[in-house]
Amino acid sequence: MKRIIIIALVLLTILTAILISGCTEENKTISQEPIKIAINVWPGYAHAFVAQEKGFFEKNGVEVELILKEEYSEAQELYTDGNTDGIFEVYVDTIFHNSEGISSKVVYVTDYSDTGDVIIGKPEYNSLADLKGKKIGIEGVNTFSHIFALSAAEKEGLVESEIQFESVFAGDVLTALEEGKIDAGHTWEPTTSEALEKGYKILGKAGDVPGIITDVLTFNSKIIKERPKEVEAIVKSLLEARNFVYTDREEALEIMSAAENIPKGEMNEGIEGVVHPNLKENMAAMKDTEETTSLYSSGRIISNFYISRGQLSSIPDFDKIIESKFIENIE
């Protein structure tokens, strides 16, 4: 009898352990280290901090560590050196990661820049056409900043040989303008508002060349393969945070401005300067169409630019760069 009781207790213990394990698995995806994501100061994807602060990541069963850097280039370095699993970045750079042997996939489109990215110029200039023979500050040669500034200038009738490009970080554009190092420069908030307050003008914006500046969440292919449930939970959380920005703007602004150390007014200006695609629009972005909001279409435009400059040898296989399954799995 005693033996039967012992066996029964053992079986009960095992059953309880299984049930607890099952409940834990159902309600919590994570059992490993946090997924690390590099992010720089930019209103377009600042809603990631809303997902963190409002507990959306936790609710959806994933632990995320957002590693904030002031400059875009610093966030890039974190990712390319393998110190983070993912990065919020411009789509151009995801294409380049793959060409450089860093297998990376886009899982979510955070925003399309309209007035979020601008070219600020001295007060005496009225348009980009006035910059013939002048210096324009960009993040670096052959960067997304370069293709944006050049595309915008070409639309105004200029050719590359008529412009001088200088490498200037977006956050340093106002200083470079005041010191006379450049005549105009590509920047974003909070520098945009600071420059406008001092009398500088917006000569061009990302919306003038649609699709060139598309921001995305990109992950290393390895983490997608090893931890797909968590990646999906992150995408779901970000969409919830995106919606929160539009339903509870004041609270969202408080969270985002505090996280990125940007005044609320400037953060709001930044949010107004981008388009945050919802779930349906994200799905459309990951389909092969000729719309400039399609990652396939904009990817071809971007690739042809870099092929002409010898930076890419061919148009990449976008099916290997765009991972739509996480968006498609969300109800």
Side-chain angles (χ1 to χ4, degrees):
M1 184 68 178
K2 184 177 180 180
R3 184 179 178 184
I4 293 173
I5 293 173
I6 292 173
I7 292 172
L9 288 172
V10 170
L11 290 173
L12 181 61
T13 301
I14 293 171
L15 180 60
T16 301
I18 291 172
L19 288 172
I20 291 173
S21 176
C23 290
T24 302
E25 183 65 28
E26 181 180 352
N27 295 305
K28 189 175 183 182
T29 306
I30 55 172
S31 60
Q32 307 174 64
E33 290 294 314
I35 289 184
K36 297 180 180 180
I37 305 176
I39 184 170
N40 67 287
V41 174
W42 167 243
Y45 32 68
H47 58 287
F49 294 104
V50 173
Q52 188 175 60
E53 183 69 21
K54 295 300 294 181
F56 297 146
F57 289 138
E58 184 179 3
K59 174 179 69 71
N60 290 315
V62 61
E63 187 175 352
V64 175
E65 182 180 349
L66 297 172
I67 303 178
L68 178 65
K69 292 294 182 180
E70 182 73 22
E71 297 292 346
Y72 181 79
S73 58
E74 295 176 302
Q76 283 290 310
E77 186 176 354
L78 273 178
Y79 179 70
T80 56
D81 286 350
N83 293 317
T84 63
D85 305 301
I87 183 171
F88 288 95
E89 66 178 358
V90 183
Y91 181 39
V92 171
D93 287 312
T94 306
I95 294 173
F96 268 115
H97 296 327
N98 283 279
S99 72
E100 294 164 353
I102 303 173
S103 183
S104 306
K105 293 180 182 291
V106 174
V107 300
Y108 169 64
V109 178
T110 68
D111 63 278
Y112 301 104
S113 184
D114 179 18
T115 57
D117 287 84
V118 296
I119 298 173
I120 292 286
K122 292 180 178 178
E124 59 262 35
Y125 304 127
N126 296 310
S127 72
L128 292 175
D130 295 333
L131 296 179
K132 184 176 181 178
K134 306 300 181 181
K135 294 181 181 180
I136 301 178
I138 56 174
E139 284 276 303
V141 175
N142 293 330
T143 61
F144 78 96
S145 179
H146 189 180
I147 187 174
F148 159 54
L150 180 57
S151 298
E154 286 177 339
K155 192 170 183 179
E156 291 294 314
L158 297 177
V159 296
E160 188 167 9
S161 61
E162 296 175 320
I163 312 165
Q164 299 178 55
F165 288 109
E166 295 286 333
S167 292
V168 179
F169 289 134
D172 297 332
V173 162
L174 178 55
T175 300
L177 282 167
E178 292 180 323
E179 292 178 353
K181 294 180 179 178
I182 57 175
D183 300 286
H186 169 213
T187 191
W188 49 78
E189 292 293 357
T191 306
T192 300
S193 292
E194 294 169 0
L196 292 177
E197 287 177 4
K198 293 194 173 185
Y200 293 94
K201 294 179 180 177
I202 293 177
L203 305 179
K205 64 183 189 302
D208 298 333
V209 282
I212 295 298
I213 300 185
T214 298
D215 294 310
V216 297
L217 172 59
T218 294
F219 281 109
N220 187 286
S221 298
K222 183 174 182 287
I223 203 74
I224 289 177
K225 182 178 180 180
E226 293 177 351
R227 301 168 72 176
K229 288 185 178 180
E230 289 165 85
V231 173
E232 185 173 319
I234 290 171
V235 173
K236 182 178 181 181
S237 301
L238 289 171
L239 281 166
E240 291 176 359
R242 176 259 178 215
N243 294 339
F244 188 88
V245 170
Y246 291 97
T247 59
D248 297 85
R249 177 63 68 91
E250 281 304 308
E251 185 178 355
L253 286 174
E254 290 281 356
I255 294 169
M256 295 186 294
S257 59
E260 296 197 352
N261 196 28
I262 295 178
K264 277 180 63 178
E266 293 175 11
M267 176 61 74
N268 191 57
E269 286 290 328
I271 294 298
E272 292 294 327
V274 300
V275 175
H276 287 110
N278 57 25
L279 177 58
K280 184 179 179 180
E281 291 163 336
N282 255 275
M283 288 180 178
M286 295 188 181
K287 295 186 184 302
D288 190 353
T289 70
E290 292 306 313
E291 296 292 327
T292 55
T293 50
S294 163
L295 294 176
Y296 287 86
S297 179
S298 61
R300 286 189 284 267
I301 295 170
I302 292 164
S303 297
N304 282 323
F305 171 85
Y306 287 110
I307 288 170
S308 70
R309 304 178 69 82
Q311 298 299 305
L312 290 176
S313 58
S314 62
I315 292 178
D317 183 352
F318 293 111
D319 287 333
K320 295 180 179 179
I321 297 176
I322 301 164
E323 185 53 85
S324 62
K325 68 181 182 182
F326 302 112
I327 283 292
E328 292 169 351
N329 287 344
I330 297 172
E331 297 178 355

